[in-house]
Amino acid sequence: MTTDPDKQEVLIVTGMSGAGRSTVANALEDLDWYVVDNLPPQMLRPLVDLVERAGTNLPKIAAVVDIRGRDLFGDFLETVQQLRSNTQVQVIFLEARDDALVRRFESVRRPHPLQGDGTLLDGISAERSRLLAVRESSDLVVDTSDLNVHQLATTITERFAAEGRAGVQLTIMSFGFKYGLPTDVDLIADVRFLPNPFWIPELRAHTGVEPEVRDFVLAQTGALDFIDHYAAAMAPVLAGYQRENKHHATIGIGCTGGKHRSVAMARELASRLEKLPGVAVNIKDRDLGRE
């Protein structure tokens, strides 16, 4: 679909109950879409107007619209047609086979919205009939029968991620073990095997950001070997994170005080990992300046 930068971009997520609307909504939020769940079709136009009048920086709006709106859902096609006149609209329809939907409803032990006094299959059949015209008019139909939540999220990410957007936002955090382990990291590396610049009088007052300390640390036996091997080991990990839709990750690099070795090594590691496809790296020095 060709995009017009002068038009508000709206994605409407609809389809069968149990086909994965919540998973899609979460994936879109991770892609920086502004997501509104269970929105009656009649509220789409006021929502777009409100965003435009407020001048809010929300270029992409996603609305989950479905059968939970009951009678309000009847105006869906007419509302979408009206929106298309001055808004950039896409409709994504999620469907799945009856057996997959039954299995999902039974796993969460919830009734189908249209089940009433009947069976699950009665509710599914009624919904499929009511949504037939919506399905036929949709821009994209996704069958989620054989997709788990991660695979569905990946499908949405590949389809709607902004061009150039990183698959993983990676933070490399330097820290000092004497101040405690960071709690918000996925992986930790210990670089205390390297000589400590603290014991070099002319380096003690400097930090790993500065060339004097950086050059000293990287010149030590094993420093570059460690960086080379660690970066090589992280390549398949970060690629796997992207496949599994883990969009944020943090690596902790620790030394004694978080001032010299960890700071220098974090930056050297970042220079390697930022070259990997789909990876954007930023550096955080947790304990720099605490001494």
Side-chain angles (χ1 to χ4, degrees), residues 27-28 31 140 147 150-163 165 167 239 242-245 247:
L28 290 170
L31 296 174
L140 175 65
L147 302 178
H150 304 296
Q151 292 167 332
L152 176 55
T154 297
T155 299
I156 297 303
T157 299
E158 291 174 347
R159 176 82 184 196
F160 294 103
E163 185 177 353
R165 185 184 188 276
Q242 294 181 66
R243 289 193 300 271
E244 294 300 312
N245 278 284
H247 296 295

Side-chain angles (χ1 to χ4, degrees), residues 10-14 76 80 84 89-93 134 137-141:
V10 177
L11 176 63
I12 300 173
V13 181
T14 189
F76 179 87
V80 171
R84 291 190 190 276
V89 179
Q90 289 188 81
V91 179
I92 176 173
F93 188 95
V134 173
S137 66
S138 296
D139 300 288
L140 175 65
V141 178

Side-chain angles (χ1 to χ4, degrees), residues 171 173 175 181-188 246 249-253:
T171 298
M173 178 193 298
F175 71 93
L181 289 172
T183 58
D184 54 343
V185 297
D186 300 284
L187 300 161
I188 287 180
K246 180 176 173 61
T250 302
I251 300 173
I253 307 293

Side-chain angles (χ1 to χ4, degrees), residues 33-240:
W33 287 71
Y34 181 76
V35 180
V36 182
D37 191 16
N38 196 16
L39 189 73
Q42 296 84 351
M43 294 301 296
L44 285 167
R45 181 73 265 172
L47 174 64
V48 173
D49 290 343
L50 178 63
V51 169
E52 292 176 345
R53 285 200 305 270
T56 308
N57 185 24
L58 295 175
K60 299 183 295 184
I61 298 174
V64 179
V65 180
D66 54 69
I67 207 68
R68 287 174 292 175
R70 303 287 175 167
D71 293 340
L72 294 175
F73 190 79
D75 294 332
F76 179 87
L77 293 176
E78 180 181 353
T79 302
V80 171
Q81 187 61 36
Q82 292 172 352
L83 274 177
R84 291 190 190 276
S85 62
N86 59 356
T87 305
Q88 196 166 262
V89 179
Q90 289 188 81
V91 179
I92 176 173
F93 188 95
L94 305 176
E95 67 174 5
R97 299 188 306 269
D98 287 358
D99 62 299
L101 295 175
V102 168
R103 184 171 62 252
R104 292 170 188 173
F105 273 104
E106 289 181 342
S107 69
V108 296
R109 300 181 180 179
R110 296 191 64 187
H112 188 279
L114 299 185
Q115 182 174 339
D117 295 329
T119 66
L120 265 175
L121 281 174
D122 291 334
I124 292 170
S125 177
E127 183 179 30
R128 205 179 290 282
S129 296
R130 289 186 61 177
L131 295 182
L132 181 60
V134 173
R135 183 190 185 283
E136 291 177 348
S137 66
S138 296
D139 300 288
L140 175 65
V141 178
V142 179
D143 187 339
T144 71
S145 302
D146 300 315
L147 302 178
N148 60 37
V149 292
H150 304 296
Q151 292 167 332
L152 176 55
T154 297
T155 299
I156 297 303
T157 299
E158 291 174 347
R159 176 82 184 196
F160 294 103
E163 185 177 353
R165 185 184 188 276
V168 177
Q169 299 288 333
L170 177 65
T171 298
I172 301 180
M173 178 193 298
S174 71
F175 71 93
F177 279 97
K178 73 177 184 179
Y179 299 113
L181 289 172
T183 58
D184 54 343
V185 297
D186 300 284
L187 300 161
I188 287 180
D190 183 355
V191 296
R192 290 176 295 182
F193 67 91
L194 298 171
N196 192 346
F198 179 85
W199 303 113
I200 310 296
E202 59 269 27
L203 296 180
R204 181 175 300 176
H206 296 279
T207 74
V209 177
E210 298 171 86
E212 301 95 321
V213 174
R214 182 195 64 217
D215 294 345
F216 173 85
V217 170
L218 297 180
Q220 301 308 304
T221 301
L224 292 179
D225 281 345
F226 173 84
I227 291 294
D228 290 341
H229 287 88
Y230 198 85
M234 285 303 303
V237 173
L238 295 173

